[in-house]
Amino acid sequence: MRGGERVVEHLLDLFPDADLFTHVYDPRRVSARIRKARVRQSFIGRMPGARRHYQKYLPLMPIALEELDLRGYDLVISSESGPAKGVITGPDTLHLCYCHSPMRYLWDHYQDYRESTGWLARRLMPLAFHRLRQWDVSSASRVDGFIANSSFIARRIAKVWGRDARVVHPPVAIDSFAPSAQVSDRYLWVSQMTPYKRADIALEAFNRLGAPALMVGDGEMFDQIAARAGPNVEVRRRLSFPELQRAYATCRALVFTPEEDFGIVPVEANASGRPVIAFGRGGVTDSIIDGLTGIFYDRQTPMDLIDAIRRFERWQPQFQPQEAVRNAARFGPDAFARGILDALDHFRREGRLSSFASSTGPSQRTANHGITCDDNGALHSDLGMHRHSCDDVAAQCR
């Protein structure tokens, strides 16, 4: 399950009567918890081919969001990595945005995305994305308070929208992982095999060092990575969950090469009692403590990673698995729930709430809530209601 959908699940735990609003909904591809919610699609969900090619309708998503009827809700929470925050709410409604990231393809990753598209899209993107940036900035003023999933995303929010954000890290199922007494000499790489995840860097480092490694992930680069892997590297598209638990707990270290908004994988490795060798940019600087629960390197190159692996092997005798487990405990579901409720209380004290009650939580069954989400998963939307809004799902509570 994608991280954004996990966030929606835990918001539904806090607000069990919430309604979810999203652009495109495929119940076969979501959890049982989300299927139990009242899910409403925008008109994007009725467009031809929307379930498979929802991204092509991005230019219409601002209109679709603004057409959602959110009257009668006291609280709307949007889960944003796309345009979900653009919903229109009333003056007595609190709109809180949980931001996984401002739209990367509009902002600091724009050139990367443009270079990866076909010739027609490359010619259309400058004008279309210019207009979308204008809407993205103006719609940020509709949000009463922002929550970022990491300090890195809080800085991106400040840069793009000029808004401050509180940081509440996403929930990680830390209790699903545990240390093992048996640890191998094999390194582990786990992620989707797409260009920005930089599996190529990890593979070249493993090949050059002759280091035993397991690389797990599907995606457009899988065949290329599998073809180039040396005899010391096993490449798998996927693992069962018990296999993944065992791979984490028995690896020498997790190697983490992308710059992520937050990055759940390093936390799962620490929860399994294993250290992380990570590119020291992005959300991982919140989750891994350099020199205590892992080692950072500064540039995304094979030679820098090779140097980091060598430094790690000298440092490894100092590593204490219990420190990693203790660090991972900061990111459990209870911490997420406390952070969300504290943020709601903060904005209440600021006078941002009128009809919304002063105590907020699962027992608050009479309040109206909406969730909107942008997760690009099986809930493709950018919005959610149930007094919460998320970019891909929306939920409301009545």
Side-chain angles (χ1 to χ4, degrees), residues 181-296:
Q182 303 297 321
V183 175
S184 73
D185 64 348
R186 190 159 76 159
Y187 291 99
L188 176 66
W189 186 94
V190 178
S191 197
Q192 191 176 9
M193 289 194 184
T194 55
Y196 94 91
K197 300 287 190 176
R198 303 313 307 267
D200 56 320
I201 290 176
L203 179 63
E204 187 167 347
F206 297 147
N207 281 345
R208 289 192 186 187
L209 289 169
L214 170 63
M215 298 186 67
V216 182
D218 203 357
E220 62 197 88
M221 293 184 67
F222 178 85
D223 290 339
Q224 174 189 340
I225 295 297
R228 291 174 48 204
N232 54 302
V233 180
E234 180 184 1
V235 183
R236 299 273 299 273
R237 287 189 186 274
R238 58 187 60 85
L239 299 177
S240 68
F241 190 62
E243 288 176 325
L244 178 63
Q245 291 171 308
R246 186 163 56 253
Y248 275 135
T250 61
C251 71
R252 186 170 188 176
L254 174 79
V255 172
F256 191 71
T257 49
E259 179 184 289
E260 290 283 19
D261 304 329
F262 174 68
I264 288 174
V265 167
V267 178
E268 292 176 340
N270 266 188
S272 305
R274 302 315 304 149
V276 178
I277 303 169
F279 176 54
R281 297 287 186 275
V284 74
T285 60
D286 283 8
S287 61
I288 299 301
I289 303 171
D290 190 21
L292 184 65
T293 71
I295 293 289
F296 289 160

Side-chain angles (χ1 to χ4, degrees), residues 134-154:
Q134 292 175 322
W135 180 88
D136 190 46
V137 171
S138 66
S139 64
S141 65
R142 304 174 189 177
V143 176
D144 296 301
F146 281 96
I147 298 175
N149 70 351
S150 68
S151 301
F152 175 60
I153 293 306

Side-chain angles (χ1 to χ4, degrees), residues 296-367:
F296 289 160
Y297 61 98
D298 293 331
R299 294 185 300 169
Q300 282 180 313
T301 70
M303 291 310 300
D304 281 83
L305 177 54
I306 288 170
D307 176 69
I309 291 173
R310 287 171 173 159
R311 285 190 291 114
F312 163 76
E313 291 178 353
R314 294 192 296 269
W315 170 80
Q316 187 177 6
Q318 304 173 42
F319 171 69
Q320 299 294 325
Q322 65 270 25
E323 293 291 348
V325 173
R326 187 177 300 116
N327 176 59
R330 299 186 291 135
F331 304 100
D334 289 346
F336 173 78
R338 287 193 302 272
I340 294 296
L341 297 181
D342 286 348
L344 289 174
D345 190 55
H346 168 78
F347 290 112
R348 179 189 63 81
R349 292 196 307 271
E350 278 197 344
R352 299 295 185 103
L353 288 166
S354 55
S355 59
F356 192 67
S358 60
S359 64
T360 313
S363 63
Q364 195 80 19
R365 298 301 178 88
T366 58

Side-chain angles (χ1 to χ4, degrees), residues 1 25 45 87 121 165 197 287 294 303 333 341 343 357 371 373:
M1 179 185 298
Y25 175 53
V87 293
K197 300 287 190 176
S287 61
M303 291 310 300
L341 297 181
I371 302 172
C373 311

